[in-house]
Each structure stands twice: as structure tokens, then as C-alpha cells.
Amino acid sequence: MLGLERGLVKLEPYNDKWSKLFNEERELLSSQLKELIMAIEHVGSTSIEGVFAKPIIDIAIGVSSLDKVIKIREKVKGIGYFEVPVSIDGKHVFAKNKENKITHFLHIMIFNQELWRDQISFRDYLRSFPDAKMEYVKLKGELANKYPKDVFSYTNEKKKFVDNILKRKKELE
């Protein structure tokens, strides 16, 4: 139900248990990190009802400064997370494993700056516009079939769609 081997792309139909699993993880993270963070949000496809998704819960954590990551790193290590190298300035990513499958990703970034706003805006746009959501479902299905063992290519090819949605969202503001 939750978890996927690293590097694989396998989509599952939306599961309403994903929001319950997010809420449980949010409680755990809040209890460990409360003095270090400003916000915790469920993001990614598991946060959008009706979207097929890799069964991994994506969690955005907003901080006032990336200096907080040093303390966060130690605390999340204690509850099963490890740091994942990413090449995006202003973002730190951690993953949680269970039985050699990744179950959660933490995306730590500065609260209310561009990376944070983009994550939330993309999620909210797809929640609000069913046609865009269905376009995304179709694209994800095609890419999952094309790249079942190449999560890097799968993610990169989705980027054009994500950028287009963010552009549409900004035009509405």
C-alpha cells in the first residue's frame, strides 16, 4: 500500500488512506521538530484526490532559514529518515525507508519563498481544476509506461507540465 523501491516508477490509483498516513507522519514530525519548523504540508500526487501516484507520501516542511537543517537532520535520522542528495538550491530532501522501499519524502525549504509557493500552488491548482488534473493523470501514465525503471527521466519529463501549470496559476493571480 505504501512504499516503492528506489528508482522505480509504479503508479497506483488514489488511495484515501494516503491523507491519513500523512496526518500520522505530520504528528510525528511536529512532535520532533516543532521548535525548528514553520509549516508542514502534504504535497505531491498523493495529496490530490483522484490522481494516480507513486505510493510515497511527499511532505513539504517550511523553515525560517536553511540553517535549521543541521538540527533537523539529526532529529529526523532518529525517526528513520536519511538525506537524499539533490541539486536544487534552497531545498533539502530526506527519505524514509521501510522494508527497502521508500515510503516518505521530506522536502525542506524556506517557508513562503518561491520553491515553497510553487509546491503548494501546483497542488492547489490541480485540486481546483479537474481538466488539468486529468491531463496530469494521463501524462503520468504515459511516462510511467515509458520509464518504469528511470524515476529521473520520469520526473524531468513531468517538469514541463508542472511549469506550465505554475504559469497558468500566476496568470490567475
Side-chain angles (χ1 to χ4, degrees):
M1 178 180 84
L2 190 64
L4 193 61
E5 289 175 45
R6 196 168 186 171
L8 294 184
V9 179
K10 182 178 176 242
L11 303 179
E12 294 185 7
Y14 178 81
N15 186 331
D16 56 13
K17 290 182 179 155
W18 290 337
S19 65
K20 180 180 178 279
L21 292 167
F22 162 73
N23 287 329
E24 290 170 2
E25 199 68 14
R26 178 178 54 194
E27 290 303 312
L28 175 62
L29 290 164
S30 292
S31 72
Q32 299 294 311
L33 307 175
K34 60 183 164 264
E35 74 283 356
L36 298 170
I37 63 176
M38 298 180 72
I40 299 177
E41 291 278 344
H42 189 185
V43 295
S45 294
T46 61
S47 71
I48 306 165
E49 192 173 332
V51 173
F52 280 62
K54 292 182 296 185
I56 299 171
I57 306 297
D58 285 291
I59 301 170
I61 294 185
V63 294
S64 60
S65 158
L66 290 179
D67 295 341
K68 305 271 188 209
V69 172
I70 295 164
K71 289 181 182 172
I72 290 171
R73 181 181 293 121
E74 290 310 307
K75 290 188 177 270
V76 298
K77 243 170 130 175
I79 55 173
Y81 284 89
F82 61 92
E83 193 157 9
V84 178
V86 293
S87 58
I88 300 170
D89 285 341
K91 183 176 184 176
H92 290 265
V93 177
F94 295 82
K96 192 174 198 177
N97 258 343
K98 186 177 182 184
E99 297 166 7
N100 289 327
K101 293 182 177 180
I102 293 178
T103 58
H104 299 76
F105 278 119
L106 300 181
H107 306 267
I108 301 174
M109 60 203 97
I110 296 177
F111 178 73
N112 223 10
Q113 285 196 341
E114 188 173 10
L115 286 173
W116 175 270
R117 286 192 308 268
D118 286 352
Q119 288 255 337
I120 306 305
S121 292
F122 181 75
R123 177 199 66 194
D124 291 351
Y125 190 92
L126 292 188
R127 284 179 173 176
S128 300
F129 293 93
D131 289 348
K133 178 168 59 175
M134 295 322 297
E135 275 180 70
Y136 192 51
V137 167
K138 182 176 181 239
L139 174 65
K140 285 176 60 129
E142 291 167 0
L143 294 176
N145 286 331
K146 187 174 178 182
Y147 301 112
K149 294 181 179 177
D150 184 359
V151 73
F152 184 76
S153 295
Y154 167 82
T155 302
N156 279 343
E157 287 212 23
K158 286 190 315 180
K159 187 174 180 345
K160 287 180 215 144
F161 182 87
V162 172
D163 290 345
N164 186 31
I165 292 295
L166 292 172
K167 184 179 173 212
R168 285 191 222 172
K169 172 82 173 153
K170 286 175 181 147
E171 288 168 359
L172 290 175
E173 294 172 350

